[in-house]
Amino acid sequence: MSTSFDITGAAAASTKRSATARGRWIDHWEPDNEQFWETTGRKIARKNLAFSIFAEHIGFSMWVLWAVIVINLGNVGITMSVPEQFWLISIPNLVGSGLRLPYTFAVPKFGGRMWTTISASLLMIPALLLAVVVPSGWVAGLGHDAQFWVLFACAATAGVGGGNFSSSMANISFFYPEGKKGFALGLNAAGGNLGVAVSQLVVPLVIIIGVPAAAVKLPVHDVHLAYAGLVWMPLIVLAATCAWLYMDSLTQAKTDYKPYFAAARTSQTWIMSILYIGTFGSFIGYSFALPLVIKNTFPEFLAGHPFIATYLAGLGFVGALVGSLSRPVGGWLSDRLGGARVTLACFLGMAIFTAVAMVGVKQHSFPLFFTAYMFIFLLSGMGNGSTYRMIPSIFAALGRKEADEKGVDPQQTALDFKRRAAATIGICGAVGAFGGFLIQLVFRQSSLGVSALMKAAKTPAEKAAIAHAHLDWSVSALWVFIAGYVVLAGMTWFFYMRKSFAVNRVPSLAYASV
């Protein structure tokens, strides 16, 4: 039972004083108390959510930036094979995935306000490298292998933008009551995810500033890659400054590492991490890879549509926008229908539309392929929201079960499991982001056969003939994705919706309606 108290007078004033006197640390925070939430908590939570979204948004923009850079390398005289191009867009994904877990640990170590400031400031590193090193004549003058490794190192630094998500989500989860957590986390994630769409919308336009319109329509034309880094620098400074001046840290979020170890020992943490590979891994993996896949699958369509060919990364913007905006919808639906039901429907839908995309590849129909992938982005975004809504519900149910079975204090147990849920959000974010790397790795492996044939070809005409004869190179990758979505749908049903089959041998959380 919650403890009631008067927060309209001394307690509210104490909350405000602690936020100022202790470096914006807030000691008194109980969002599930309705009186506290209405008079004090809501305003503070919304303020922190707003600045968290802004910093995370810039992080996502920097993270996906190399998806735009890679398809423009030929315009600055740098030629890379298709497998090498996939490495350059996948390494930021891999680094970002690896950083997500330590970024989550950073929140209890430094506090949400301090860490948001630090993580936003680190984004200046990839921005500077892209503005100064990548477009330099020094890189253009290197040999092919040296060029690749310099670009590889520069691209890897963009991974710092991928770590912001986990720390932001873990931090914000403490600010909101259980009944509002789904929409708040969905909004926080969607605002960050929109950075992918904004980057793919803005950067292709920024790098052709000052280039004549007639020249832009040519297959090879001038671009200013330095602008792709410069455009983000003022926003990075603004995000770090706003985090420092206006955000807060919660004492109850400043925990030790025990919740993380406890979460890592819980099987539900790893089940949800695998499910998040399918949802967020699909969203971020396709956001990185789709422009490059289109470029190497539909050359005839792009040849007949020079604007689309020039603004190819803008196609990725549409998918990223759809996936970002649908994320809070998934959280909202999960609050009403249950996260497991929404997640199951999303995986089944993604399998179906991947099959439709495969038909588009085989029939050389760009409209069919592109439309199918827009639905995949829609469903992956909704799945992102539904899976993250499931996590607090799962751990709340586990906490109630432990309190009943062991006869321990329900309120303290609920808080302990809430901390485990926050830790699980960080773990799932790291593992799920790794799914984006897997998406790109599968595409890369599918391209190796064609790449080997292209490398062995001796004339441009022979290379063109080989490329045209193997435009369906991605079909094997699409089959892998379909199988994966079917397996993930089965896991969702088995662990969270199964009510009778083998429940005595393998427990199910269907009773909790997560």
Side-chain angles (χ1 to χ4, degrees):
M1 182 176 180
S2 300
T3 303
S4 60
F5 47 83
D6 177 18
I7 50 78
T8 58
S14 175
T15 300
K16 295 178 182 178
R17 284 197 302 271
S18 67
T20 303
R22 300 184 60 249
R24 305 192 71 87
W25 279 97
I26 297 178
D27 297 319
H28 171 220
W29 192 257
E30 194 174 356
D32 288 307
N33 182 292
E34 186 174 349
Q35 189 181 15
F36 175 86
W37 176 254
E38 292 297 331
T39 57
T40 304
R42 185 197 304 271
K43 183 178 179 180
I44 294 175
R46 286 180 173 177
K47 177 191 66 173
N48 281 272
L49 176 61
F51 291 110
S52 174
I53 288 174
F54 180 52
E56 187 188 347
H57 178 94
I58 304 303
F60 268 96
S61 295
M62 294 302 302
W63 193 23
V64 79
L65 195 53
W66 275 79
V68 182
I69 301 304
V70 165
I71 61 175
N72 281 283
L73 289 176
N75 290 322
V76 294
I78 299 176
T79 302
M80 294 286 156
S81 68
V82 174
E84 287 172 333
Q85 291 178 61
F86 272 115
W87 271 125
L88 292 178
I89 63 173
S90 63
I91 189 59
N93 198 156
L94 182 61
V95 172
S97 304
L99 288 177
R100 284 191 163 195
L101 200 55
Y103 267 49
T104 305
F105 288 138
V107 172
K109 178 69 174 179
F110 298 100
R113 168 179 172 254
M114 173 66 80
W115 184 248
T116 303
T117 304
I118 294 172
S119 60
S121 301
L122 288 173
L123 299 174
M124 193 63 74
I125 297 172
L128 281 170
L129 289 174
L130 189 51
V132 177
V133 176
V134 174
S136 68
W138 172 71
V139 173
L142 294 174
H144 178 82
D145 289 347
Q147 281 183 340
F148 173 76
W149 287 112
V150 170
L151 295 174
F152 186 86
C154 292
T157 64
V160 298
N164 294 13
F165 176 82
S166 288
S167 56
S168 176
M169 294 291 280
N171 183 46
I172 291 301
S173 71
F174 279 97
F175 279 92
Y176 279 83
E178 288 298 326
K180 301 181 185 298
K181 204 181 293 286
F183 184 74
L185 291 176
L187 193 62
N188 185 57
N193 291 171
L194 274 172
V196 176
V198 170
S199 185
Q200 293 179 324
L201 173 67
V202 172
V203 174
L205 298 176
V206 168
I207 62 177
I208 59 173
I209 291 176
V211 180
V216 169
K217 295 180 181 180
L218 299 174
V220 178
H221 55 81
D222 288 338
V223 293
H224 305 294
L225 291 185
Y227 295 176
L230 292 171
V231 69
W232 299 108
M233 291 183 184
L235 297 174
I236 292 170
V237 172
L238 182 61
T241 302
C242 288
W244 180 253
L245 293 178
Y246 300 113
M247 289 187 70
D248 305 293
S249 297
L250 299 179
T251 302
Q252 71 170 173
K254 195 177 187 300
T255 62
D256 57 24
Y257 295 135
K258 291 181 181 179
Y260 296 95
F261 296 131
R265 292 193 300 269
T266 304
S267 61
Q268 297 298 329
T269 298
W270 301 108
I271 294 169
M272 289 306 303
S273 295
I274 293 171
L275 296 185
Y276 199 56
I277 284 177
T279 57
F280 183 76
S282 295
F283 168 79
I284 198 64
Y286 294 139
S287 294
F288 274 101
L290 193 60
L292 190 55
V293 172
I294 292 173
K295 180 180 179 180
N296 291 281
T297 306
F298 300 100
E300 293 178 347
F301 175 84
L302 296 177
H305 299 79
F307 175 77
I308 294 179
T310 299
Y311 195 55
L312 186 56
L315 296 178
F317 150 76
V318 180
L321 178 65
V322 170
S324 300
L325 294 179
S326 66
R327 181 161 189 155
V329 175
W332 180 81
L333 285 174
S334 298
D335 286 338
R336 286 152 179 77
L337 304 177
R341 290 181 179 179
V342 176
T343 302
L344 176 63
C346 288
F347 281 135
L348 292 176
M350 290 164 73
I352 292 170
F353 282 106
T354 303
V356 174
M358 185 186 300
V359 174
V361 171
K362 291 182 176 180
Q363 295 182 353
H364 304 293
S365 172
F366 174 77
L368 182 60
F369 175 87
F370 186 72
T371 300
Y373 258 95
M374 293 307 100
F375 278 101
I376 294 171
F377 272 109
L378 173 73
L379 293 168
S380 67
M382 292 177 62
N384 289 338
S386 64
T387 50
Y388 259 45
R389 181 60 187 96
M390 289 171 67
I391 293 171
S393 299
I394 289 168
F395 279 85
L398 294 177
R400 290 191 296 269
K401 182 180 179 181
E402 180 165 310
D404 291 340
E405 292 178 349
K406 297 183 177 181
V408 294
D409 178 24
Q411 188 172 354
Q412 182 59 44
T413 303
L415 179 59
D416 289 342
F417 275 80
K418 184 182 292 188
R419 288 171 174 165
R420 294 188 194 183
T424 299
I425 286 174
I427 295 171
C428 287
V431 177
F434 183 70
F437 171 75
L438 294 179
I439 290 280
Q440 296 167 77
L441 184 61
V442 171
F443 274 129
R444 179 185 178 275
Q445 292 303 113
S446 295
S447 73
L448 288 178
V450 181
S451 180
L453 293 174
M454 295 278 283
K455 190 174 182 180
K458 301 184 182 303
T459 66
E462 189 177 351
K463 290 178 184 290
I466 292 171
H468 187 269
H470 295 85
L471 294 179
D472 61 349
W473 62 272
S474 62
V475 167
S476 60
L478 297 178
W479 273 118
V480 172
F481 301 149
I482 290 173
Y485 294 140
V486 171
V487 170
L488 292 169
M491 287 181 61
T492 305
W493 172 82
F494 187 83
F495 290 108
Y496 302 113
M497 299 180 69
R498 175 176 49 95
K499 295 183 178 180
S500 59
F501 176 72
V503 291
N504 292 328
R505 286 178 292 175
V506 183
S508 167
L509 278 173
Y511 70 89
S513 300
V514 299

